[in-house]
Amino acid sequence: MAGSKRESEEGVAALDPGDSLARAGVEWLAPSRERLATMLAGHRLPHAMLLLGQPGAGQTELGLWLAALLLCDRKGETSCAECAGCRLFLAGTHPDFYRVGLEEDAAVIRVEQIRSLSESFSLKSYRGRNKVALLDPADAMNINSFNALLKTLEEPSDNTYLILTASRSDRLPRTIVSRSARLRLPLPDAGDALAWLNGRRKFAGWERLLALANGAPFRALQYADAGLEEIDAKMQETLDSAEKGQLDIIATAAAWSRDQPEARLFWLESWLTGRLRDAALSSDLVNDNRLPWLRVPAREPMIRAGYRLLDALREARLLVSGALNTQLLFEGLLISLMALVGEGTGKLRESVD
Ligand SMILES: [Zn+2]
């Protein structure tokens, strides 16, 4: 990726800028693109933009799109793909573009990455134009990283632009959010999303994967690449057993650690995300038979425990490729999951009887 010679960016998962820009061109992001382009043309684009969206809504893609626009030598409504700036950007070698993300096997963006970015950002632009940094996902920073970033946000130098992406603004400190202009990305309706996915490639399972991705098309694509449709039905069966309190934790952990562990973590993450969102949206949980373990009176602590488990799943997914005991990892996660869905059901029974 761009600026990969710089130490801070070594190991950050590669993104194909061309493909990301193509994705950012989807119809449902047109209003967001227009808004950003209009702000830039009117010299009203703030130094820090926070792009917020559900995972897979397109914040990474739109962030790259905006970076490309800022680094394009022509002043158009979108980057031209032809000028020297665009060619450098597309080749992943633009010297004034900095990308900070999760390094391999890391669960957080480290403070050293942010310090290195701040140093680079304080230098003059190589091409005498804009300097742009994409912090993606910014909600993977820890408190030390946030504090290091704050200095850069408080004293922006001319022609420097920070683009932050996040799926949960509640994971960002208020000091960061208040210094950034926020843009919330919409999701397409299901019909548009399915049309786009089928345009990428013909596949019968898009509807289910889109549901599992909570409506976010780029996430559904990621799930298809991870092979989630192969394990989907079995995973749902296992979760049904867990809700009935009939899950053999040791045997399940052993089976999962041997077969597509990463896809299973992805599946669990998306399943739990959907359930927690339903819980937050549902105003009348008492009458909602689908979520017995989230009903009152145990609802609030259950939702908190759900978010803790969600963090653990996300972290596990980032770590599972490394040298750690995957079976033990799954056992721990399954115990938490059982405590959440199994015990919740138990509590409910007590309160109903
Ligand atoms: Zn250009």
Side-chain angles (χ1 to χ4, degrees):
M1 196 53 224
S4 57
K5 275 169 280 168
R6 268 177 289 278
E7 207 180 321
S8 70
E9 286 153 348
E10 272 174 19
V12 173
L15 277 176
D16 175 355
D19 187 47
S20 298
L21 294 185
R23 288 192 205 192
V26 291
E27 191 57 40
W28 64 86
L29 290 180
S32 309
R33 291 194 304 272
E34 267 165 44
R35 214 174 132 195
L36 292 169
T38 307
M39 283 197 280
L40 180 60
H43 305 283
R44 286 182 289 106
L45 190 75
H47 284 288
M49 280 296 311
L50 172 58
L51 306 179
L52 283 165
Q54 219 179 280
Q59 52 271 44
T60 300
E61 288 80 1
L62 193 66
L64 281 164
W65 177 89
L66 178 59
L69 181 61
L70 283 161
L71 296 167
C72 177
D73 299 340
R74 296 174 189 165
K75 287 185 162 55
E77 286 176 1
T78 189
S79 55
C80 74
E82 288 166 358
C83 69
C86 282
R87 285 205 306 273
L88 285 167
F89 185 82
L90 288 168
T93 52
H94 200 297
D96 293 318
F97 178 57
Y98 307 85
R99 184 173 160 243
V100 179
L102 287 168
E103 294 173 339
E104 207 178 325
D105 295 340
V108 296
I109 291 176
R110 293 175 306 117
V111 65
E112 290 81 9
Q113 291 176 273
I114 303 297
R115 288 205 187 114
S116 171
L117 169 72
S118 302
E119 269 171 42
S120 309
F121 239 38
S122 64
L123 302 173
K124 270 184 76 174
S125 157
Y126 282 86
R127 299 195 68 239
R129 293 168 171 270
N130 292 330
K131 289 187 294 181
V132 184
L134 176 64
L135 264 91
D136 170 52
D139 41 0
M141 284 193 277
N142 61 17
I143 190 68
N144 293 333
S145 304
F146 281 128
N147 287 336
L149 178 66
L150 206 53
K151 209 169 140 40
T152 305
L153 280 175
E154 277 168 346
E155 300 159 11
S157 38
D158 280 346
N159 303 321
T160 58
Y161 294 92
L162 265 177
I163 306 167
L164 297 93
T165 74
S167 51
R168 284 175 58 192
S169 61
D170 63 342
R171 304 297 292 273
L172 303 171
R174 215 173 293 168
T175 45
I176 300 281
V177 177
S178 66
R179 284 171 175 80
S180 318
R182 272 154 286 172
L183 184 65
R184 190 166 281 282
L185 274 57
L187 285 179
D189 64 38
D192 290 348
L194 288 171
W196 182 79
L197 286 165
N198 278 309
R200 288 288 289 208
R201 71 169 180 266
K202 289 282 171 219
F203 169 53
W206 281 133
E207 204 166 334
R208 172 64 191 148
L209 286 188
L210 186 65
L212 204 55
N214 300 303
F218 299 150
R219 191 73 151 181
L221 197 63
Q222 203 179 6
Y223 286 170
D225 292 341
L228 245 65
E229 72 277 9
E230 292 162 31
I231 59 164
D232 181 36
K234 273 273 179 230
M235 290 297 285
Q236 189 58 58
E237 257 174 50
T238 309
L239 260 289
D240 292 344
S241 306
E243 279 178 350
K244 288 180 203 137
Q246 300 164 344
L247 188 71
D248 184 337
I249 289 180
I250 308 285
T252 307
W256 285 3
S257 63
R258 282 192 302 267
D259 180 35
Q260 291 181 271
E262 199 178 348
R264 289 175 197 281
L265 289 166
F266 235 148
W267 191 97
L268 288 169
E269 221 183 304
S270 102
W271 178 86
L272 189 56
T273 303
R275 299 299 80 75
L276 288 168
R277 207 183 47 159
D278 287 351
L281 293 176
S282 177
S283 57
D284 190 9
L285 283 162
V286 177
N287 294 322
D288 190 341
N289 291 321
R290 292 171 305 150
L291 303 166
W293 51 276
L294 276 178
R295 280 198 215 170
V296 285
R299 186 185 167 199
E300 286 307 321
M302 280 292 170
I303 288 178
R304 277 201 299 278
Y307 276 114
R308 277 200 301 277
L309 179 57
L310 196 59
D311 286 342
L313 288 168
R314 186 176 151 273
E315 200 165 317
R317 182 163 57 78
L318 296 165
L319 296 175
V320 79
S321 55
L324 90 171
N325 187 328
T326 310
Q327 172 156 359
L328 218 57
L329 182 77
F330 272 124
E331 282 174 20
L333 292 169
L334 281 167
I335 289 167
S336 304
L337 185 72
M338 286 291 277
L340 188 67
V341 304
E343 197 188 309
T345 314
K347 273 185 194 152
L348 169 77
R349 286 204 190 100
E350 276 164 34
S351 64
V352 170
D353 290 345

